[in-house]
Amino acid sequence: MTLASQRLTLPSRLALFGAGILLALPGIADAATQDNLSIVSGGEIVGSLDAVTEGNHVSVDYRVDNNGRGPKHHEDIDLDASGVPLSYRVTGTSLMGGKVEEQYLWKSGLATWHSQADAGSVKATKPPLYVLNDDSPFAMAIYARASIAARGEEVPVLPGGKLMVSKVRDVGIGDKTAGLAPVSAAVYRVTGLQLAPTYVLFDDKGGLFAVFDADAGGGDMTIRKGYEKAVPTLAKLAGDLDLERVKALQGKLAHRFSGPIRIENVHVFDPASGQRSALSTVVVMRDRIVRVEPQGAPFAQTSETVIDGAGGTLYPGLHDMHSHSTLDMGLFYLASGITATRDMGNDNRFLQELLDRIDAGEIAWPRIVPSGFLEGRSAFSARNGFIPDTLKDALADVNWYADHGYAEIKIYNSFTPEWVRPVAAEAHRLGMRVSGHVPAFDTPDRVITDGYDAIAHLNQLMLGWILKPGEDTRTPLRLTAMSRAGALDLASAPVRKTIALMKSHGTSLDTTAVILEMLLRSNAGERPSFAENFFTHMPIGWQRFRKRSYVDKSDPALRLAYEQGADKTLEVIKLAHDEGIRMLPGTDDGTGLTLLREIELYVKAGLSPAEALRTATLGAEEYFANTADVGTIARGKLADLVLVAGDPTKDIRAIYTPQMVMRGGIVYYPSEIHSALGIAPFASPPKIRPAISANPQTAANVQVRK
């Protein structure tokens, strides 16, 4: 199909939107038209989106199969003349196979809807803009088209919240020498639905050209079929747009103070002892702690900025031990008190550029400890890092990661089991650790003896006690098989053998219990348990998407089995802790808030609040042998600090309400960050007394806020 024939329009039916772009609304063409797009991830096509428009009706088929997962929807849409849906029906399955059957209808002044998340009705004299619970990239195009006429104003949407669409630039795509006909496109930013923006590109005839999220710098996007070679160009565009946004946020939200910063009237939490101090003072100069002493000690300087802790608790910055970094996740992490992360697999070029930007102070981000991703080649391959074809290639890749400063190698599902031992040996020779999934058809016991320093994900450990020989963990079975976990006997010989091996080899466990809770305890229409302490603070689109069953729970017995599997994960955490196995709290998620839930889950499993908080502070840094710089609050250490009003050693939920976070001496106020990111704040900033200079002529310049 030629470019011109992909979107047929009538000049008399065109609608004028935005800054001079003529957009052809779906449903105004006299003949059937088509939008055919590819879903691209890691440089490979992993799905498709095909939309056929006839009159005012649009039929969409959307299918993704990436790493064994992906939504598979059919959508039927009826639009009015302005492009607003009058009816919408979505049927199929969601990311992990959960059933999707969503319906929306506006008729005779009444809008009604039913989805996994909710159901309701609202009187409306004209069709409102309904936002789907289970949508597709084509739905984002509908939202954009229906909202562009607002010219930058927020548009109310059903079932709640507001959407804003703004044009950010015009771009030219394609090159005849590369076999791609040139396309002129307008780029629109859609905000208000999720935590990060989505970008929608329309060509100069109004046809949908591409859709991608703010983190598409790695190349994950939906793009017009035949233009897949243009993905790197658009990935760079995505990176540029997101970088502009996060740089601006860094300039607004990062506060730097000249001279010492004195944090007074705080109880300092010591992860080593599990105790809080009497009221104390902590002084920071530049990026280091220079003094920790009892409250009221003499010699406070007028040149110091004073932060009043008001009797709250100051504890070391948290470490998310299972992250996949994107450009805009840094502020979300910092707002939750997370000052360090372990990146567990990424696009290598992107991560190197991100590390450079963080080091240069361009963007707000925790410290990152990078892990080098190694995967095997199969129909289920994940598309991060390297996919070596031979053992020699794998060993060369290990050396590349060592030369680029990676602390660890992460092995994934399709990796050849026989290569684990030599790869681990080479990594250890180079001073690197090894962790990851248990490769398909391998076992936890074998990877432990082959050299794993940590197993990634609690389910990857438990599958060794659950799966039958020959079952394939490259598929969603690695998650859905957790429905069998409730029947596990933790005193059984296989369980005791694996635990003994972990103890004798010093193997740690990267739990990501929160992501398992998200899956196993998710139920359509119910507020998810993993977000019980922050759900109402989140944007409406985020809330609705998570009121769902991620897996098929139509059978009550299966729902019960998943609940029992979730219960068993907490029992395994307590068993491993009691046996002295190091627990590494991680999330596999980028909101920051989920690490706080991960720590809370440790408490629900039976750890004391102090023990749970230790795992995410000192314990994480002990794993990296990095305690000389971070992990506790002491003179000479990096000033990575979190201030909360309560006492997390008594009630772990206090960690959800940080008032101030310091990352290397730079101060952030979570309330400011959350407000800027569309999240309702949790706590107010502490009171601050600016520094006073002895020289009146320079007094105004002592405190510098950026």
Side-chain angles (χ1 to χ4, degrees):
M1 179 175 292
T2 65
L3 176 63
S5 67
Q6 289 199 12
R7 172 66 60 181
L8 303 176
T9 63
L10 293 176
S12 62
R13 305 290 296 279
L14 289 172
L16 180 63
F17 292 106
I21 183 172
L22 292 175
L23 296 181
L25 292 171
I28 64 174
D30 283 353
T33 64
Q34 293 188 31
D35 288 290
N36 302 111
L37 301 105
S38 296
I39 316 299
V40 178
S41 177
E44 298 186 24
I45 298 173
V46 298
S48 60
L49 190 156
D50 299 298
V52 178
T53 302
E54 296 182 272
N56 73 329
H57 181 78
V58 186
S59 177
V60 180
D61 286 299
Y62 173 49
R63 183 179 185 87
V64 179
D65 192 354
N66 187 10
N67 191 21
R69 296 172 287 187
K72 296 165 181 64
H73 299 170
H74 178 78
E75 304 172 16
D76 285 297
I77 316 152
D78 290 312
L79 303 160
D80 71 5
S82 65
V84 174
L86 298 172
S87 68
Y88 223 131
R89 184 178 182 190
V90 185
T91 57
T93 56
S94 61
L95 176 70
M96 295 301 302
K99 185 178 180 181
V100 173
E101 189 162 349
E102 182 170 2
Q103 296 185 62
Y104 165 78
L105 176 66
W106 179 86
K107 186 177 182 180
S108 303
L110 184 68
T112 59
W113 69 92
H114 182 277
S115 73
Q116 277 207 74
D118 47 30
S121 62
V122 171
K123 291 182 179 179
T125 56
K126 61 179 182 178
L129 182 57
Y130 174 77
V131 174
L132 288 169
N133 186 33
D134 282 280
D135 61 9
S136 68
F138 193 82
M140 295 303 301
I142 288 179
Y143 306 154
R145 283 181 170 128
S147 304
I148 288 170
R151 298 179 183 273
E153 296 297 323
E154 291 184 329
V155 176
V157 296
L158 282 182
K162 294 181 179 180
L163 174 73
M164 188 169 77
V165 177
S166 56
K167 184 179 178 181
V168 291
R169 67 177 63 178
D170 293 308
V171 296
I173 304 160
D175 182 349
K176 287 184 178 179
T177 61
L180 299 177
V183 175
S184 297
V187 184
Y188 289 84
R189 179 185 285 134
V190 182
T191 58
L193 297 182
Q194 298 290 344
L195 295 176
T198 297
Y199 295 92
V200 182
L201 278 65
F202 297 109
D203 67 23
D204 55 6
K205 295 181 176 60
L208 176 60
F209 185 81
V211 181
F212 51 81
D213 291 331
D215 63 356
D220 290 1
M221 65 183 60
T222 302
I223 189 168
R224 181 173 292 170
K225 192 167 290 186
Y227 280 79
E228 294 85 357
K229 290 181 181 178
V231 165
T233 299
L234 291 186
K236 183 179 183 305
L237 172 65
D240 291 345
L241 293 172
D242 209 24
L243 181 60
E244 290 173 7
R245 190 174 67 92
V246 297
K247 276 186 173 181
L249 288 170
Q250 164 78 336
K252 176 183 177 183
L253 299 171
H255 301 281
R256 296 172 173 85
F257 299 90
S258 63
I261 301 172
R262 178 174 290 264
I263 307 169
E264 291 187 338
N265 199 22
V266 291
H267 298 278
V268 175
F269 172 68
D270 176 19
S273 67
Q275 302 297 313
R276 289 198 316 159
S277 70
L279 285 176
S280 302
T281 292
V282 176
V283 181
V284 172
M285 182 62 186
R286 298 186 181 90
D287 64 345
R288 295 278 172 175
I289 298 166
V290 296
R291 185 182 295 195
V292 181
E293 60 187 9
Q295 178 69 18
F299 307 117
Q301 307 296 310
T302 57
S303 61
E304 296 175 344
T305 298
V306 178
I307 297 174
D308 182 7
T313 303
L314 194 71
Y315 56 84
L318 305 175
H319 201 136
D320 186 335
M321 294 295 283
H322 198 117
S323 167
H324 296 279
S325 309
T326 64
L327 194 62
D328 63 344
M329 282 164 47
L331 283 168
F332 291 103
Y333 278 131
L334 291 168
S336 291
I338 299 164
T339 58
T341 67
R342 179 174 64 151
D343 188 290
M344 290 293 282
N346 218 311
D347 176 85
N348 293 334
R349 177 191 58 80
F350 166 78
L351 186 58
Q352 289 297 309
E353 291 177 355
L354 178 64
L355 291 168
D356 288 342
R357 296 190 191 284
I358 295 170
D359 289 345
E362 294 182 15
I363 60 175
W365 242 97
R367 307 174 199 282
I368 296 178
V369 180
S371 298
F373 194 88
L374 289 182
E375 170 68 307
R377 193 168 300 281
S378 78
F380 304 98
S381 297
R383 293 164 177 84
N384 286 327
F386 291 124
I387 305 179
D389 291 313
T390 67
L391 175 58
K392 182 179 179 181
D393 292 339
L395 296 175
D397 294 338
V398 171
N399 278 264
W400 186 94
Y401 284 127
D403 289 347
H404 287 78
Y406 286 70
E408 193 170 63
I409 296 298
K410 180 188 177 182
I411 290 172
Y412 207 60
N413 297 318
S414 296
F415 198 75
T416 302
E418 290 72 25
W419 296 356
V420 171
R421 183 180 290 272
V423 162
E426 181 67 359
H428 290 154
R429 184 184 72 83
L430 296 168
M432 304 167 72
R433 291 172 178 78
V434 178
S435 69
H437 289 207
V438 177
F441 315 115
D442 208 337
T443 67
D445 293 0
R446 180 175 170 181
V447 299
I448 292 167
T449 57
D450 279 348
Y452 268 34
D453 296 285
I455 290 177
H457 305 298
L458 187 56
N459 60 300
Q460 289 286 321
L461 173 67
M462 296 173 67
L463 289 173
W465 311 323
I466 293 171
L467 291 182
K468 302 171 185 176
E471 288 189 307
D472 192 347
T473 55
R474 296 172 299 179
T475 71
L477 180 67
R478 64 181 178 273
L479 296 167
T480 58
M482 291 298 291
S483 62
R484 311 174 194 173
L488 268 176
D489 177 4
L490 298 187
S492 65
V495 173
R496 302 311 305 182
K497 178 184 177 184
T498 304
I499 295 296
L501 282 171
M502 294 183 76
K503 291 173 65 176
S504 64
H505 287 266
T507 310
S508 301
L509 179 60
D510 163 14
T511 50
T512 63
V514 66
I515 208 76
L516 290 174
E517 180 186 28
M518 197 181 300
L519 173 81
L520 301 175
R521 297 196 195 275
S522 64
N523 297 302
E526 297 180 10
R527 180 180 296 188
S529 62
F530 81 90
E532 62 186 6
N533 291 309
F534 58 86
F535 184 81
T536 57
H537 291 256
M538 306 301 275
I540 184 64
W542 189 99
Q543 290 185 30
R544 294 188 73 226
F545 186 78
R546 283 149 185 85
K547 291 175 67 176
R548 63 173 53 241
S549 294
Y550 287 95
V551 291
D552 184 5
K553 291 188 175 180
S554 54
D555 182 349
L558 187 55
R559 171 173 171 162
L560 177 61
Y562 279 118
E563 291 286 344
Q564 291 172 337
D567 292 340
K568 190 65 67 171
T569 63
L570 299 184
E571 293 179 29
V572 173
I573 288 173
K574 183 61 163 62
L575 170 65
H577 172 75
D578 289 348
E579 293 288 346
I581 293 169
R582 186 183 301 282
M583 315 297 286
L584 306 176
T587 64
D588 218 359
D589 177 73
T591 65
L593 292 161
T594 46
L595 182 67
L596 309 183
R597 178 62 174 186
E598 180 86 355
I599 297 167
E600 186 184 11
L601 286 175
Y602 283 16
V603 176
K604 289 181 178 293
L607 280 69
S608 72
E611 288 173 331
L613 198 52
R614 186 191 195 283
T615 65
T617 52
L618 181 58
E621 304 310 333
E622 287 173 339
Y623 175 79
F624 289 120
N626 196 29
T627 57
D629 271 335
V630 282
T632 57
I633 297 174
R635 174 177 168 79
K637 294 197 173 185
L638 288 167
D640 289 3
L641 309 169
V642 185
L643 173 66
V644 297
D647 180 359
T649 67
K650 296 289 191 294
D651 184 351
I652 197 62
R653 291 175 297 179
I655 63 177
Y656 284 99
T657 56
Q659 298 174 285
M660 180 201 74
V661 176
M662 185 177 285
R663 194 278 205 191
I666 300 174
V667 172
Y668 296 90
Y669 304 120
S671 60
E672 290 185 350
I673 295 175
H674 284 142
S675 295
L677 298 176
I679 298 173
F682 295 79
S684 300
K687 292 182 179 179
I688 298 179
R689 186 169 71 248
I692 301 174
S693 172
N695 182 349
Q697 293 181 342
T698 61
N701 297 320
V702 171
Q703 179 187 359
V704 180
R705 297 185 67 169
K706 181 179 178 183

